[in-house]
Amino acid sequence: CHVRIYSEEGHGTTIKLYLPPARGPAPAAVAAATPLVGGAETILVVEDEMTIALLIEDMLMDLGHQVVDLAMRLPQALALAQNAEIDLAVLVVNLGGRLSFPVADPLAARGVPFIFPPGYGSAGIEPPYRHHTVIKKPFVMKDLEGAIAAAAS
């Protein structure tokens, strides 16, 4: 079991408690998610809204992926894009009032695929990035699963 605590001045604190898996078979009503593209991709989430970032993290973990980090500010996102061992990234376009395209550049240079999840579709994606996978918010886990498969192929 482990605890993850995230606190940001002016935004509040989120506490997540991860418990070990239950022993024995899962109840029939609970369907297990099928991991994608090999199933254990390490993914960077760049999202400035904590609630949405944590929701995306939960979806990715339910799909069998590992989230390397949640970057909520441009400097942190840039450092991770340049140095972190990742297989894929989810990049919000508007990151705290700044565009995240500078984060996309080192990812592209490293050959790391990425997904843009704007709330307004592909209209706000600058021309050099339009060929990358876009998933419009709000999305459900199946949409995210499909976007990961598309980006990784």
Side-chain angles (χ1 to χ4, degrees), residues 52-132:
I52 296 171
L54 293 171
L55 178 63
I56 293 171
E57 178 186 39
D58 285 344
M59 287 182 182
L60 291 168
M61 290 173 64
D62 287 347
L63 288 168
H65 304 293
Q66 177 184 349
V67 176
V68 70
D69 210 337
L70 302 176
M72 303 181 95
R73 298 290 177 256
L74 192 59
Q76 178 192 17
L78 276 169
L80 289 165
Q82 293 166 347
N83 302 309
E85 293 291 325
I86 55 176
D87 300 311
L88 188 130
V90 178
L91 304 176
V92 68
V93 173
N94 182 349
L95 185 60
R98 299 171 75 182
L99 295 177
S100 69
F101 300 120
V103 178
D105 294 332
L107 292 171
R110 294 175 58 196
V112 175
F114 47 90
I115 299 166
F116 289 116
Y120 39 78
S122 60
I125 308 294
E126 291 182 357
Y129 307 98
R130 288 195 181 140
H131 66 282
H132 291 278

Side-chain angles (χ1 to χ4, degrees), residues 2-47:
H2 72 275
V3 176
R4 184 174 194 174
I5 301 173
Y6 180 82
S7 184
E8 189 170 337
E9 190 173 323
H11 292 281
T13 301
T14 299
I15 301 171
K16 293 178 90 174
L17 176 64
Y18 295 90
L19 300 172
R23 301 200 189 281
V30 176
T34 305
L36 269 182
V37 196
E41 281 68 38
T42 301
I43 301 176
L44 169 64
V45 176
V46 178
E47 168 63 66

